[in-house]
Amino acid sequence: MITSRTTTWELARSTPLFSAVGEAVMSRLMRGALVQVLPKGAVLFEEGAEANFVHLILSGSVGLTASAGKPDSTVVEIFRDGELFVAPAAILELPYLVSAVVLADSRILFLPADNFRAALDAEPKLARAMVNVLARHWRLLVEQIKDLKLRQAAERLAAFLVAQAEAAGGPAAAAAGKPVGKEGAAPGAPAGSASGGASTIALREPRNMLAARLGMTPESLSRAFAQLEAEGVVSEGRAVHIADLARLRRYCALEG
Amino acid sequence: MITSRTTTWELARSTPLFSAVGEAVMSRLMRGALVQVLPKGAVLFEEGAEANFVHLILSGSVGLTASAGKPDSTVVEIFRDGELFVAPAAILELPYLVSAVVLADSRILFLPADNFRAALDAEPKLARAMVNVLARHWRLLVEQIKDLKLRQAAERLAAFLVAQAEAAGGPAAAAAGKPVGKEGAAPGAPAGSASGGASTIALREPRNMLAARLGMTPESLSRAFAQLEAEGVVSEGRAVHIADLARLRRYCALEG
DNA sequence: CTTTTCGCTTGATTTTTGTCAAGCACATCC
DNA sequence: GGATGTGCTTGACAAAAATCAAGCGAAAAG
């Protein structure tokens, strides 16, 4: 691909990592790096393997899956555009605890781990940026553990939907809550209104993936959606309409 | 209180953080810091509160608990001597996602968060050290999520016991180790030499805490111990004897 | 156009876990 | 000594979720 190089740089430039470390450090990181355009289903690395790369998602999405020796597997977390993973294995020179599977056609930058570690020691800006990345990631998992341990299936789904709606509506348009008409469900960023009112979001993964991420079976997820209808949640395909965000928030906090 | 200062420094000196950042950075971190000797049950901070400190455990142990608005609460993780927490909240200037409760009488260093953040920017060694701490902590939670999502109660307990036995037997060769009444184990072969044999470990927390950490009720934990008797696990009070570590490892991987 | 496949839902049933209640060993307190 | 609590276990029961088994509609393949 002739455009591969330039596109890669453009995309890399728009990641939070780049903003944090700047051009010099970024180009150092990219020494020996390779870009891959991978189709859905491709496996970046396997649980238990040596961590030879740190991965940066230029576009697309990747699921971190694990099976822990059992026949079936689950999804630990899902990462999207701009995210860097799985640094901990590479940094500590330990085997991956998870596998990484491409969930939607993706362009992924493979940064050699040894080079990454060297840069971590030599470039304070990189270390500082990684602290923020890892701190943010820690909080993702803490939230998830809280969900798994003290909420039941339908509540976990509710909490997830609330988080999606907030992520979609919050940062970008925190404007006054408005009648949210069903706009074409944009695949990139779900639309939604902020705190109070109604919101329509788009599920960005197939339901079996969502189920695994939420720690339940697809059947249970289906039933969880059915339960949430009583709370004003309607799902049609990938679009989910929430009639009253505040009510749903109340539901996951107080129910049980 | 006269000895408090010196003891504090001695203890602080023996933490991994100190080894990583050195004396200069450490003393910078300790500007405005305070030491507290806290009894079991003391609360360091509450879920949802502003993160004004980063905490370093000089001695003792602390549980990270959460309730997510529900009446009952759970334990997300337990930290011990030398551990630093909860940096992510302080670093990102976000509210704590968990509360921290002292589990055994502890001496804890409170490092002011704003000072910590400033040091993070100014001292590359600190940033680099935090990267390792956070990377290690990430892996703790990933393991836990895997357990919660794909193992059932008894298997989670088994996995926990195996990890304990490995931690005790592996790194420091157990040496003097734990004076756990039951000698039992293979003669000459102290605690779980990572591969095969027998091992005796001491539970370091009351069972209700362990249950919460493992994501189950105390009743379920009790039954899980009963189930594991069939796998050669005998527990008497806080001492747990594992007849065959390899068998237990097989049990958590393959059972299902 | 027809057939197959896939993603999802629904129902019936079983397994797992939580809840409620009782009881025991052991400590502390009066 | 006896009363009171606490930590843990056990049993009976209820709730939650997984599993097994169809079934349906839409997209993909023939």
Side-chain angles (χ1 to χ4, degrees), chain A residues 70 75 144 149 213 255, chain B residues 70 75 144 149 255:
Chain A
K70 316 275 279 195
V75 173
Q144 191 173 159
K149 283 185 178 171
R213 162 56 243 268
E255 199 71 11
Chain B
K70 317 276 277 195
V75 173
Q144 190 173 163
K149 283 185 178 172
E255 199 71 10

Side-chain angles (χ1 to χ4, degrees), chain B residues 147-171:
Chain B
D147 279 357
L148 289 168
K149 283 185 178 172
L150 37 87
R151 287 205 247 261
Q152 47 197 46
E155 297 168 341
R156 292 203 296 274
L157 172 58
F160 177 85
L161 294 176
V162 168
Q164 289 287 305
E166 283 170 352

Side-chain angles (χ1 to χ4, degrees), chain A residues 47 66 68-70 74-75 88 91 95 97 121 128 132 138-139 143-144 146 149-150 155 213 253 255, chain B residues 47 66 68-70 74-75 88 91 95 97 121 128 132 137-139 143-144 146 149-150 155 213 253 255:
Chain A
E47 184 177 355
K70 316 275 279 195
T74 190
V75 173
I91 292 166
L97 294 178
D121 290 325
R128 186 62 187 80
N132 273 14
W138 159 272
R139 289 173 66 93
E143 277 292 7
Q144 191 173 159
K146 285 167 61 174
K149 283 185 178 171
L150 38 86
E155 297 167 342
R213 162 56 243 268
E255 199 71 11
Chain B
E47 184 178 355
K70 317 276 277 195
T74 190
V75 173
I91 293 167
L97 295 178
D121 290 325
R128 185 62 187 81
N132 274 12
H137 287 182
W138 160 272
R139 289 173 66 93
E143 277 292 5
Q144 190 173 163
K146 284 167 62 175
K149 283 185 178 172
L150 37 87
E155 297 168 341
R213 163 56 243 267
E255 199 71 10

Side-chain angles (χ1 to χ4, degrees), chain A residues 47 64 66-77 79 86-92 94-98 117 120-121 124 126-128 130-132 134-152 155 212-215 251-256, chain B residues 47 64 66-77 79 86-92 94-98 117 120-121 124 126-128 130-132 134-152 155 212-215 251-256:
Chain A
E47 184 177 355
L64 266 31
S67 69
K70 316 275 279 195
D72 38 37
S73 74
T74 190
V75 173
V76 172
E77 192 50 282
F79 283 133
V86 184
I91 292 166
L92 302 175
L94 291 170
Y96 288 120
L97 294 178
V98 295
R117 281 190 297 268
L120 212 48
D121 290 325
L126 177 60
R128 186 62 187 80
M130 284 308 301
V131 166
N132 273 14
L134 292 172
R136 197 163 40 76
H137 288 181
W138 159 272
R139 289 173 66 93
L140 293 176
L141 298 197
V142 168
E143 277 292 7
Q144 191 173 159
I145 287 174
K146 285 167 61 174
D147 279 357
L148 289 168
K149 283 185 178 171
L150 38 86
R151 288 206 246 259
Q152 48 196 44
E155 297 167 342
R213 162 56 243 268
L214 293 176
Y251 174 82
C252 28
L254 304 177
E255 199 71 11
Chain B
E47 184 178 355
L64 266 30
S67 68
K70 317 276 277 195
D72 38 36
S73 75
T74 190
V75 173
V76 172
E77 192 52 282
F79 284 133
V86 184
I91 293 167
L92 301 175
L94 292 170
Y96 289 120
L97 295 178
V98 294
R117 282 190 296 270
L120 211 49
D121 290 325
L126 177 61
R128 185 62 187 81
M130 284 309 300
V131 166
N132 274 12
L134 292 172
R136 197 162 41 74
H137 287 182
W138 160 272
R139 289 173 66 93
L140 292 176
L141 298 197
V142 168
E143 277 292 5
Q144 190 173 163
I145 287 175
K146 284 167 62 175
D147 279 357
L148 289 168
K149 283 185 178 172
L150 37 87
R151 287 205 247 261
Q152 47 197 46
E155 297 168 341
R213 163 56 243 267
L214 293 176
Y251 174 83
C252 30
L254 304 176
E255 199 71 10

Side-chain angles (χ1 to χ4, degrees), chain B:
Chain B
M1 274 313 211
I2 290 178
T3 59
S4 170
R5 244 212 169 76
T6 61
T7 311
T8 295
W9 259 110
E10 280 165 26
L11 289 167
R13 219 174 258 285
S14 66
T15 62
L17 182 69
F18 181 93
S19 318
V21 303
E23 183 134 5
V25 172
M26 192 68 192
S27 67
R28 170 173 183 161
L29 282 178
M30 289 189 53
R31 263 182 235 156
L34 44 137
V35 188
Q36 290 202 11
V37 177
L38 295 164
K40 179 174 165 177
V43 175
L44 271 60
F45 53 80
E46 300 251 24
E47 184 178 355
E50 195 185 341
N52 293 319
F53 295 96
V54 176
H55 301 80
L56 180 61
I57 307 180
L58 298 175
S59 72
S61 65
V62 172
L64 266 30
T65 69
S67 68
K70 317 276 277 195
D72 38 36
S73 75
T74 190
V75 173
V76 172
E77 192 52 282
I78 295 173
F79 284 133
R80 299 171 195 289
D81 302 54
E83 283 286 6
L84 184 77
F85 67 95
V86 184
I91 293 167
L92 301 175
E93 301 188 64
L94 292 170
Y96 289 120
L97 295 178
V98 294
S99 302
V101 181
V102 173
L103 301 180
D105 297 7
S106 301
R107 177 182 297 259
I108 293 169
L109 193 52
F110 288 60
L111 308 171
D114 48 2
N115 186 37
F116 187 87
R117 282 190 296 270
L120 211 49
D121 290 325
E123 307 281 2
K125 278 205 262 189
L126 177 61
R128 185 62 187 81
M130 284 309 300
V131 166
N132 274 12
V133 168
L134 292 172
R136 197 162 41 74
H137 287 182
W138 160 272
R139 289 173 66 93
L140 292 176
L141 298 197
V142 168
E143 277 292 5
Q144 190 173 163
I145 287 175
K146 284 167 62 175
D147 279 357
L148 289 168
K149 283 185 178 172
L150 37 87
R151 287 205 247 261
Q152 47 197 46
E155 297 168 341
R156 292 203 296 274
L157 172 58
F160 177 85
L161 294 176
V162 168
Q164 289 287 305
E166 283 170 352
K178 322 271 171 192
V180 188
K182 318 288 276 182
E183 43 74 39
S193 58
S195 39
S199 174
T200 298
I201 61 180
L203 302 178
R204 289 180 292 181
E205 307 300 335
R207 298 198 172 199
N208 56 357
M209 279 294 142
L210 179 55
R213 163 56 243 267
L214 293 176
M216 65 186 83
T217 59
E219 293 95 325
S220 289
L221 177 63
S222 196
R223 288 182 240 271
F225 266 112
Q227 274 187 62
L228 290 189
E229 279 176 27
E231 303 296 326
V233 174
V234 187
S235 77
E236 276 183 57
R238 293 235 171 158
V240 179
H241 181 70
I242 302 169
D244 184 347
L245 209 40
R247 174 141 81 113
L248 205 55
R249 231 180 258 117
R250 235 174 299 128
Y251 174 83
C252 30
L254 304 176
E255 199 71 10

Side-chain angles (χ1 to χ4, degrees), chain A residues 165-190:
Chain A
E166 283 170 352
K178 282 281 91 190
V180 180
K182 302 191 100 177
E183 345 197 353

